[in-house]
């Protein structure tokens, strides 16, 4: 009897062990099945998207809760949308998508649109970034549009004043016949939008915002680019609202609201004895408010080359320091040595026209023309200039080594004649 009881007990234990192993196997099978089903769902959604023109990042696994890293989902969606004729990569509204550095590469099919209706945010901690160069890079594209009603937030507050090397939020490089429109771009660690080696790009109806105290957070910068249109946009940052860099030509800027910031700038040019070439720049219609400079051209001593054929017209100033300024002695190194002193050469500035510039100056000088003794400022024209200080008095004029002509009513013409020193 005891032997029978012991045998029954042993069989019971073996049955329990078998049952436990079976349950473990079933659990693993269920987990694997769930993973397969989830992957199949994403794959099926992506396949269905491929059958049309719209590629939703959520169909590629983007969570959109602001905490989950959606970088891989954005990359996969881009790769598929890029191949489709007139494809649309869609970032839906109502969600926040966290992504790390992304390099969106072309060439892609013509008519490709990246539509951002939600919010895209960068990693909050600088140590989490994969690169300190560019956050969202768009390269080698034609007939491409980045647009939408959404926001692109670079979360730069933890970079400002703490990190020497800081990334640009959005860069277009080698992009042609394309557009950036509608979006709001905020708080970049450094520059917000840069165009390099671009041709025939339009930037229309965007908003760029960063605190006035944020360092080097230029709104839009152009380098080695031509046939660029920037219009109907509002920009307020801690540096230049728009900066026109070396190699820029045929740049058309209109209907811009700028402030806070450092105004609309050409340069700096000629740093480190380099040669610069900027020409055919036209600003028509701008309102600048409480900026530290208005319409500024800045070059370094020792440089060479030319900044020419520049027109500013129909610009309203409100409480702007240095509303009109040419500075051929620009120097931001803090070095008081020879690099900041007069040298034998300078980037030549020629054929610059200011027309219908009105408003209030926060500084006593409404016009400052600080030109090199080498006579490198020529063909400067002032037409219908009416700038007053905040007290209502006519703003003063300070011009050195320049001969400018005046047309129409110029209330600051005393220092602009042939006898200017």
């Amino acid at each position: 009897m005891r032997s029978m009881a012991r045998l029954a007990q042993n069989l019971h234990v073996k049955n329990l062990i078998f049952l436990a192993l079976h349950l473990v196997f079933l659990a693993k099978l269920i987990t694997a099945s769930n993973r397969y089903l989830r992957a199949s769902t994403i794959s099926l959604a992506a396949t269905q998207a491929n059958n049309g023109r719209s590629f939703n990042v959520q169909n590629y696994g983007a969570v959109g809760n602001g905490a989950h890293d959606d970088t891989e989902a954005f990359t996969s969606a881009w790769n598929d949308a890029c191949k489709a004729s007139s494809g649309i990569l869609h970032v839906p509204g109502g969600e926040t998508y966290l992504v790390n550095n992304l390099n969106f590469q072309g060439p892609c099919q013509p008519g490709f649109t990246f539509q951002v209706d939600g919010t895209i945010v960068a990693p909050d901690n600088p140590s989490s970034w994969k690169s300190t160069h560019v956050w969202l890079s768009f390269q080698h594209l034609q007939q491409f549009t980045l647009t939408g009603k959404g926001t692109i937030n670079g979360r730069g507050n933890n970079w400002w004043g703490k990190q020497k090397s800081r990334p640009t939020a959005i860069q277009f490089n080698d992009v042609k016949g394309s557009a950036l429109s509608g979006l709001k771009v905020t708080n970049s660690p450094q520059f917000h939008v840069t165009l390099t080696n671009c041709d025939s790009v339009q930037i229309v109806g965007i908003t760029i915002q960063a605190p006035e105290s944020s360092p080097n957070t230029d709104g839009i910068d152009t380098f080695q680019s031509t046939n660029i249109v920037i219009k109907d946009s509002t920009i307020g940052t801690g540096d230049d609202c728009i900066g026109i860099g070396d190699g820029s030509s045929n740049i058309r800027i209109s209907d811009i609201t700028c402030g806070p910031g450092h105004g609309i700038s050409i340069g700096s040019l000629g740093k480190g004895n380099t040669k610069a070439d900027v020409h055919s720049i036209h600003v028509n219609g701008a309102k600048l408010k409480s900026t530290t400079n208005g319409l500024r051209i800045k070059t370094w001593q020792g440089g060479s080359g030319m900044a020419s054929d520049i027109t500013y017209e129909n610009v309203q100033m409100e409480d702007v320091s240095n509303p009109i300024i040419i500075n051929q002695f620009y120097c931001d190194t803090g070095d008081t040595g020879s690099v900041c002193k007069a040298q034998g050469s300078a980037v030549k500035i020629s054929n610059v026209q200011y027309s219908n510039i009105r408003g209030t100056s926060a500084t006593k000088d409404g016009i400052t023309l600080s030109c090199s003794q080498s006579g490198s400022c020529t063909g400067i024209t002032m037409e219908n200039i009416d700038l007053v200080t905040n007290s209502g008095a006519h703003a003063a004029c300070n011009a050195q080594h320049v001969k400018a002509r005046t047309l129409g009513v110029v209330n600051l013409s005393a220092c602009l004649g042939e006898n200017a020193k």
Side-chain angles (χ1 to χ4, degrees):
M1 291 295 294
R2 290 179 180 177
S3 297
M4 292 294 291
R6 190 177 296 111
L7 179 60
Q9 184 178 11
N10 289 339
L11 287 173
H12 180 67
V13 171
K14 289 179 179 179
N15 286 336
L16 288 175
I17 293 172
F18 175 78
L19 180 61
L21 291 173
H22 186 64
L23 290 173
V24 169
F25 174 76
L26 284 175
K28 290 183 177 179
L29 181 62
I30 291 170
T31 299
S33 297
N34 287 338
R35 288 175 180 169
Y36 173 78
L37 287 172
R38 183 176 181 274
S40 297
T41 300
I42 293 174
S43 177
L44 176 60
T47 301
Q48 290 172 340
N50 279 335
N51 293 331
R53 293 174 53 237
S54 182
F55 299 77
N56 188 324
V57 293
Q58 292 181 344
N59 293 337
Y60 291 81
V63 176
N65 64 1
H68 181 270
D69 188 344
D70 291 326
T71 305
E72 185 176 345
F74 273 63
T75 300
S76 298
W78 173 277
N79 290 338
D80 283 352
C82 176
K83 302 170 190 173
S85 177
S86 299
I88 300 173
L89 195 166
H90 189 212
V91 181
E95 309 290 349
T96 299
Y97 303 86
L98 170 66
V99 300
N100 215 303
N101 300 83
L102 282 164
N103 187 6
F104 295 116
Q105 289 265 10
C108 296
Q109 290 295 318
F112 179 24
T113 298
F114 192 157
Q115 183 168 332
V116 180
D117 292 326
T119 297
I120 299 176
V121 297
D124 193 41
N125 190 335
S127 65
S128 300
W129 289 57
K130 296 177 182 177
S131 168
T132 60
H133 180 50
V134 178
W135 176 32
L136 305 177
S137 174
F138 298 87
Q139 299 193 69
H140 316 308
L141 297 164
Q142 295 190 32
Q143 298 181 40
F144 168 72
T145 300
L146 175 59
T147 188
K149 299 177 289 187
T151 298
I152 296 177
N153 184 351
R155 284 180 165 177
N157 56 301
N158 285 328
W159 293 83
W160 301 326
K162 303 172 186 176
Q163 307 288 334
K164 184 176 180 180
S165 179
R166 292 173 284 132
T168 292
I170 299 172
Q171 182 187 62
F172 278 20
N173 178 45
D174 185 29
V175 175
K176 298 177 173 63
S178 299
L180 167 59
S181 67
L183 294 170
K184 182 177 183 180
V185 186
T186 66
N187 300 323
S188 175
Q190 191 159 283
F191 305 151
H192 283 78
V193 177
T194 63
L195 306 182
T196 59
N197 305 300
C198 291
D199 189 349
S200 303
V201 172
Q202 293 197 16
I203 299 178
V204 183
I206 70 169
T207 299
I208 297 177
Q209 290 181 343
E212 186 175 5
S213 59
S214 58
N216 302 112
T217 51
D218 293 17
I220 301 170
D221 287 332
T222 68
F223 305 95
Q224 304 298 329
S225 295
T226 187
N227 302 318
I228 306 300
V229 172
I230 304 170
K231 66 179 183 178
D232 301 328
S233 297
T234 300
I235 305 169
T237 69
D239 211 295
D240 295 337
C241 291
I242 298 174
I244 308 301
D246 184 30
S248 299
S249 64
N250 197 23
I251 311 294
R252 299 291 180 261
I253 300 168
S254 62
D255 299 321
I256 299 297
T257 299
C258 167
H262 295 182
I264 299 174
S265 294
I266 295 175
S268 63
L269 304 175
K271 184 176 182 178
N273 300 324
T274 56
K275 184 177 181 178
D277 180 20
V278 172
H279 64 88
S280 304
I281 312 299
H282 190 182
V283 178
N284 183 5
K287 181 177 181 180
L288 285 74
K289 181 176 181 180
S290 301
T291 54
T292 58
N293 295 286
L295 309 173
R296 176 168 62 157
I297 302 174
K298 47 183 177 177
T299 68
W300 292 71
Q301 283 291 298
S304 60
M306 180 80 74
S308 63
D309 302 320
I310 300 163
T311 300
Y312 303 99
E313 59 181 333
N314 303 316
V315 177
Q316 181 70 35
M317 308 281 186
E318 182 179 342
D319 192 36
V320 171
S321 300
N322 310 307
I324 295 174
I325 178 170
I326 294 177
N327 182 7
Q328 287 199 303
F329 296 88
Y330 180 77
C331 190
D332 68 352
T333 64
D335 182 4
T336 58
S338 60
V339 69
C340 295
K341 294 182 178 179
Q343 298 185 38
S345 65
V347 176
K348 296 183 182 301
I349 298 173
S350 70
N351 298 330
V352 183
Q353 179 169 338
Y354 302 87
S355 178
N356 298 324
I357 314 297
R358 296 179 170 85
T360 56
S361 174
T363 51
K364 68 179 182 65
D365 290 333
I367 297 176
T368 302
L369 307 179
S370 182
C371 294
S372 174
Q373 288 180 315
S374 61
S376 52
C377 288
T378 59
I380 312 297
T381 301
M382 301 282 173
E383 179 179 9
N384 296 329
I385 310 297
D386 186 7
L387 295 168
V388 299
T389 64
N390 289 327
S391 66
H394 288 305
C397 171
N398 180 11
Q400 297 178 339
H401 311 298
V402 60
K403 296 178 180 180
R405 67 170 183 159
T406 62
L407 299 172
V409 178
V410 180
N411 291 324
L412 302 88
S413 60
C415 69
L416 298 177
E418 293 294 316
N419 295 322
K421 295 180 180 180

